[in-house]
Amino acid sequence: MNFNFSCRAVLTHLSLQFLSDYVVGAFADPDGDNEEEEEEEGRMISNHDGARAFQVVGTVSEKSDEDRTYQLGRDELLPKLMNCDVVIYNITQHTDQVEEALWAVSALHSEMKHFSGPKMFILVSTVMTWACSKPVDPDDLELPFTDEIFWRRRAHPNFKQHIDVEKRVVKMGKTNRTLFSTYVVASGLQYGMGEQIFHYFFKTSWLGQEQEIPVFGDGNNIVPTIHIQDLASVIQNVIEHQPKLYYLLAVDCSNNTMENIVKVCITVASALGPGKIQKKPFEEAFLRQDFSQVVEIDSILVNLRMKGVYIKELFSVSWLCESGLVDNIELVVEQYRQSRGLLPVRLCVLGPPAVGKSTASKEICKHYNLHHIRLKETISETLAQLEGAVKHADPDAENEDAAEAQELLNSMKENMEQNGGLLDDQLLVRVVKDKLMSNPCRNQGFVLDGFPKTYEQARELFSSEEHESDDGTSHISSFNKKIMPEFVLCLDASDALLKERVMNLPEKLVQEHNYEHEHFLRRLARYRENNVEDETVVNYFDELNMTPLYLGKPLIMRTCCEEPRNYGPSTQEVQEGNRRKVEEKMRREAQEREEEEQREAEEARHRAARWEEWTKALEEMRQQEEELLEAQSVPMRSYLMEHVMPILTRGLIECCTVRPQDPVDFLAEYLFKNNPVDY
């Protein structure tokens, strides 16, 4: 960025995009000075001759090819600072910036004898160094603090380092003002170009996940503010005019309360959220993960009525938002969306029934964090909302909204009864348009699944107005940019393929999507009929120079924006996702262990059953063998009892009577002689 001024500047982590394309960054830590010296010497003088380019260099959060970036250690950074005529340090965003700023001004001060020319050091500080100041007049609490009495300021306990470094910067500039001049610009809470201090309220409203946006404390505290571009303009004036006064208060003319700021953020037309606030104890702010630092919470709870006198007297600032955040909320909201890249993605997916529109739409919605708009769910949701509005309306009060809700509810129910559960085009378009115009759809975007189905529906849904030409035909003159799709995706397949797909679907999906044979064929025939006329939905978009994309499902994701244009998952959501992944892994491992134990137990049961079976079989075999042996032994026993045992008995008796010397030989001889079998 160029000015008619011979100067090069280093900015550190300051979003002064109108002073530079850079968002630059550096940091600081304090050392004190006494307030009496500040009051005595409140002026600095330094002049440059000539009119050459003003070049801004430094470290940036978003790189630009046109700028040079320094991301160096202190030993390497000091020579770079020595080459600059103006050095600007911002200590408003992070407490660790304070030490860096103190080092920078001290290092430059110690090198003054080596300066090639006059240098200027500008410290961008914060009004939190005034947070505990005593009232200007105890009898008139509405009297504002001004930079004319800056020596009376008292810092918030968490901003003691900031006021200390302010005093050190001032002291360094008193050694040789002509050679090394220093300034302190005490900035109000900064807003615009993406938000920082107020980002929690903008983000919560934009996401629309909370019905009521919290205001911490009573909300009556007056918050001094300034737009980031106006702050850059003040700094530019300091560089160009180099005033004698070294302490300047940079605040706009507003005296907005925190409650008013939050209300206007979420209620302004076309803006962000549900439009309701809820006051909560200020301690709850410390439980919100969106506040990354305690200093942010301290800042939104500050209560200061302030007026920048010197910048009005000394400069002709080209104000962008002189009247403050509340009066310029629409501009600020638009800058917020642009800076954060929170631009909705709007798609319309068309195609015959059963071609896969809903599947593709779900995938797109999941990838881009969009709202899936389907007719059946939208109608059911609208009926539920209308019934809720009528039910909770005060019967004793005149409520136009409740009366309108009742009228629309009656019309929808009557219309659905007359049309077999369906709505006519007029009511259907109204319901869908209201859904697309809702804050969630306008903020994050949507995928319109399978609607509109006809040219007339498309014209009624997206057109803002119409006019008739001389020949009596109707033409589109304008359309509703807030809901007009950016992409129109057309899926198609042959009737034979669609019929085969429906035939192979599970019965549950057939019932869910109403794909019964006769009904599906009627829907398919109606779709083909609506798309052979000259005035089709595709023709409507063609007339708007919006060429529909005829794509297969795998190509859809690559055709839309490369990256989702919305907030990624929050830290809490990431942690929750990681927790769910760990729990899912543990669940799978436990399930696998349980399945393994079940398999082992089943195998043990099988082994026991097999062993029991084998034991039983062996017992049966043994019994069978015994029975067989028993059966086979009967003839032998009979023979023995009939022929052998009588002779053997007589032989034993005879042996006992004779008592021979060899009884065995005697018995054998006896049996041989008396053998009944004749050989």
Side-chain angles (χ1 to χ4, degrees):
M1 188 171 186
N2 293 326
F3 299 94
N4 291 325
F5 197 76
S6 174
C7 182
R8 298 170 63 202
V10 170
L11 288 124
T12 52
H13 205 67
L14 179 62
S15 302
L16 301 179
Q17 296 185 5
F18 293 89
L19 192 60
S20 152
D21 287 336
Y22 269 12
V23 182
V24 210
F27 315 96
D29 202 79
D31 208 329
D33 189 16
N34 62 54
E35 300 162 5
E36 290 76 10
E37 291 184 358
E38 282 191 348
E39 184 175 358
E40 292 172 9
E41 295 277 345
R43 48 190 57 83
M44 306 185 61
I45 301 174
S46 177
N47 294 311
H48 289 281
D49 297 325
R52 290 173 294 176
F54 175 47
Q55 179 187 9
V56 178
V57 295
T59 55
V60 297
S61 62
E62 295 180 1
K63 281 194 175 184
S64 170
D65 294 337
E66 299 177 359
D67 296 313
R68 292 186 294 163
T69 65
Y70 297 145
Q71 297 179 344
L72 311 172
R74 291 183 178 180
D75 292 340
E76 298 172 292
L77 180 58
L78 182 57
K80 306 295 183 182
L81 298 180
M82 290 289 290
N83 290 332
C84 295
D85 297 310
V86 178
V87 178
I88 306 172
Y89 265 79
N90 172 35
I91 62 171
T92 64
Q93 301 303 328
H94 303 284
T95 54
D96 53 357
Q97 295 170 340
V98 181
E99 181 182 357
E100 183 80 13
L102 181 59
W103 165 81
V105 70
S106 301
L108 288 172
H109 181 265
S110 63
E111 295 290 331
M112 277 198 304
K113 59 183 178 181
H114 299 122
F115 284 0
S116 59
K119 296 188 184 300
M120 181 187 301
F121 187 97
I122 301 176
L123 179 74
V124 181
S125 188
T126 171
V127 292
M128 293 303 293
T129 57
W130 293 71
C132 292
S133 301
K134 296 180 180 179
V136 178
D137 184 351
D139 298 327
D140 186 0
L141 298 180
E142 293 191 358
L143 278 179
F145 293 103
T146 68
D147 35 16
E148 295 173 315
I149 54 171
F150 69 92
W151 56 85
R152 294 178 54 181
R153 69 192 187 283
R154 295 292 182 273
H156 185 283
N158 290 333
F159 289 81
K160 292 289 188 181
Q161 288 184 325
H162 293 71
I163 197 170
D164 288 342
V165 79
E166 287 180 5
K167 296 172 183 178
R168 175 61 74 87
V169 167
V170 170
K171 183 178 181 180
M172 296 290 181
K174 295 175 182 177
T175 304
N176 187 339
R177 299 173 191 170
T178 303
L179 188 60
F180 187 48
S181 57
T182 59
Y183 292 91
V184 174
V185 177
S187 165
L189 273 58
Q190 300 159 22
Y191 63 90
M193 308 306 293
E195 308 314 312
Q196 290 176 348
I197 296 295
F198 301 115
H199 181 228
Y200 167 77
F201 304 100
F202 279 75
K203 179 181 178 180
T204 306
S205 299
W206 189 89
L207 291 174
Q209 295 175 349
E210 296 188 25
Q211 293 300 315
E212 296 178 327
I213 308 302
V215 174
F216 303 106
D218 59 18
N220 296 324
N221 54 305
I222 295 176
V223 181
T225 57
I226 188 169
H227 191 282
I228 192 71
Q229 181 176 341
D230 293 329
L231 177 59
S233 183
V234 170
I235 294 174
Q236 176 189 341
N237 275 272
V238 171
I239 295 171
E240 290 182 345
H241 300 292
Q242 301 184 39
K244 295 180 179 180
L245 300 168
Y246 56 75
Y247 189 95
L248 302 170
L249 193 57
V251 294
D252 54 36
C253 295
S254 66
N255 284 303
N256 298 318
T257 64
M258 195 65 206
E259 180 178 352
N260 289 338
I261 291 174
V262 176
K263 275 185 177 180
V264 77
C265 286
I266 61 179
T267 59
V268 64
S270 78
L272 302 174
K276 296 180 180 179
I277 65 170
Q278 181 182 20
K279 293 185 178 181
K280 294 188 175 183
F282 73 91
E283 292 87 357
E284 287 197 20
F286 295 94
L287 304 177
R288 305 279 174 156
Q289 294 185 354
D290 296 84
F291 292 110
S292 58
Q293 300 184 86
V294 175
V295 294
E296 293 181 359
I297 301 175
D298 296 331
S299 298
I300 64 173
L301 297 175
V302 70
N303 185 19
L304 289 171
R305 192 183 296 269
M306 310 194 81
K307 182 178 180 181
V309 174
Y310 290 154
I311 61 174
K312 293 291 184 66
E313 293 179 350
L314 301 175
F315 309 140
S316 296
V317 177
S318 179
W319 288 93
L320 179 68
C321 298
E322 185 175 9
S323 57
L325 172 59
V326 172
D327 291 346
N328 297 278
I329 186 61
E330 292 189 8
L331 169 66
V332 175
V333 166
E334 184 58 30
Q335 290 179 340
Y336 163 76
R337 284 175 166 156
Q338 294 290 337
S339 299
R340 294 276 176 177
L342 303 176
L343 305 176
V345 178
R346 301 184 296 271
L347 297 97
C348 179
V349 181
L350 303 174
V355 76
K357 299 186 298 296
S358 296
T359 302
S361 298
K362 288 178 182 177
E363 290 181 5
I364 296 172
C365 288
K366 181 179 179 181
H367 182 71
Y368 292 102
N369 193 24
L370 308 178
H371 299 277
H372 189 186
I373 310 300
R374 300 181 62 186
L375 290 182
K376 184 177 179 180
E377 286 79 359
T378 301
I379 293 172
S380 300
E381 179 184 332
T382 302
L383 289 172
Q385 290 176 348
L386 292 173
E387 289 172 350
V390 172
K391 180 180 179 180
H392 296 97
D394 187 354
D396 299 328
E398 293 184 4
N399 192 327
E400 294 182 2
D401 292 338
E404 185 178 349
Q406 182 68 67
E407 181 181 355
L408 179 57
L409 179 62
N410 294 338
S411 299
M412 290 181 65
K413 288 184 175 180
E414 181 180 352
N415 194 274
M416 294 175 72
E417 290 176 1
Q418 295 174 354
N419 294 284
L422 302 176
L423 292 175
D424 61 24
D425 282 0
Q426 183 179 0
L427 279 174
L428 185 59
V429 168
R430 177 177 177 181
V431 168
V432 175
K433 181 177 286 190
D434 288 345
K435 177 66 176 179
L436 300 185
M437 289 292 290
S438 65
N439 280 329
C441 288
R442 290 172 59 189
N443 287 337
Q444 286 89 33
F446 58 81
V447 176
L448 188 54
D449 185 355
F451 191 82
K453 301 179 183 297
T454 66
Y455 182 94
E456 290 298 325
Q457 288 178 346
R459 185 176 61 181
E460 291 296 325
L461 179 61
F462 299 120
S463 296
S464 293
E465 59 185 36
E466 297 178 352
H467 71 273
E468 289 192 356
S469 62
D470 295 337
D471 58 3
T473 58
S474 178
H475 295 276
I476 302 170
S477 59
S478 64
F479 54 86
N480 193 334
K481 295 182 180 180
K482 296 176 182 178
I483 62 174
M484 175 59 69
E486 297 177 83
F487 302 94
V488 179
L489 309 179
C490 294
L491 307 180
D492 204 356
S494 65
D495 290 0
L497 182 61
L498 295 174
K499 293 174 185 177
E500 182 181 355
R501 183 172 185 267
V502 171
M503 290 173 60
N504 294 324
L505 284 176
E507 184 62 25
K508 180 180 178 181
L509 291 179
V510 172
Q511 297 293 333
E512 180 181 345
H513 295 285
N514 203 10
Y515 283 162
E516 290 81 2
H517 182 67
E518 295 297 331
H519 185 70
F520 170 74
L521 293 180
R522 286 197 300 271
R523 289 175 59 187
L524 181 58
R526 192 185 311 113
Y527 175 83
R528 298 303 185 195
E529 195 176 313
N530 290 335
N531 284 274
V532 296
E533 303 288 339
D534 291 336
E535 291 187 342
T536 65
V537 179
V538 173
N539 290 340
Y540 172 81
F541 290 112
D542 281 335
E543 291 176 14
L544 297 175
N545 295 321
M546 184 184 299
T547 304
L549 304 172
Y550 292 88
L551 301 170
K553 189 175 68 172
L555 299 177
I556 290 176
M557 304 297 285
R558 285 176 287 174
T559 304
C560 302
C561 310
E562 293 183 1
E563 294 294 335
R565 299 190 302 215
N566 50 41
Y567 281 107
S570 64
T571 303
Q572 184 176 1
E573 291 170 337
V574 171
Q575 293 173 348
E576 180 66 19
N578 293 336
R579 183 186 64 80
R580 284 197 297 268
K581 288 180 181 178
V582 172
E583 289 179 350
E584 179 63 20
K585 181 180 179 181
M586 294 175 63
R587 186 190 65 78
R588 286 197 305 269
E589 292 176 350
Q591 184 177 359
E592 290 173 357
R593 286 195 300 270
E594 183 179 352
E595 291 174 352
E596 182 66 24
E597 290 173 357
Q598 290 177 351
R599 283 195 298 270
E600 291 178 356
E602 190 67 21
E603 290 178 1
R605 284 195 297 271
H606 284 309
R607 287 195 298 270
R610 287 195 299 270
W611 179 255
E612 183 179 354
E613 184 179 349
W614 294 341
T615 304
K616 185 177 180 181
L618 290 172
E619 181 65 22
E620 290 177 353
M621 290 175 61
R622 187 184 63 78
Q623 290 179 357
Q624 290 175 359
E625 289 177 355
E626 289 179 353
E627 291 174 358
L628 179 60
L629 290 173
E630 181 70 20
Q632 291 176 347
S633 66
V634 170
M636 180 62 70
R637 284 199 305 271
S638 298
Y639 173 80
L640 291 174
M641 292 300 294
E642 181 179 355
H643 298 288
V644 178
M645 291 305 295
I647 298 175
L648 180 61
T649 301
R650 290 196 300 269
L652 290 173
I653 294 172
E654 184 67 24
C655 184
C656 291
T657 303
V658 176
R659 296 186 180 181
Q661 187 175 358
D662 188 354
V664 176
D665 184 61
F666 176 82
L667 183 59
E669 185 67 25
Y670 181 85
L671 293 175
F672 179 76
K673 290 179 179 181
N674 294 284
N675 184 4
V677 180
D678 188 9
Y679 291 99

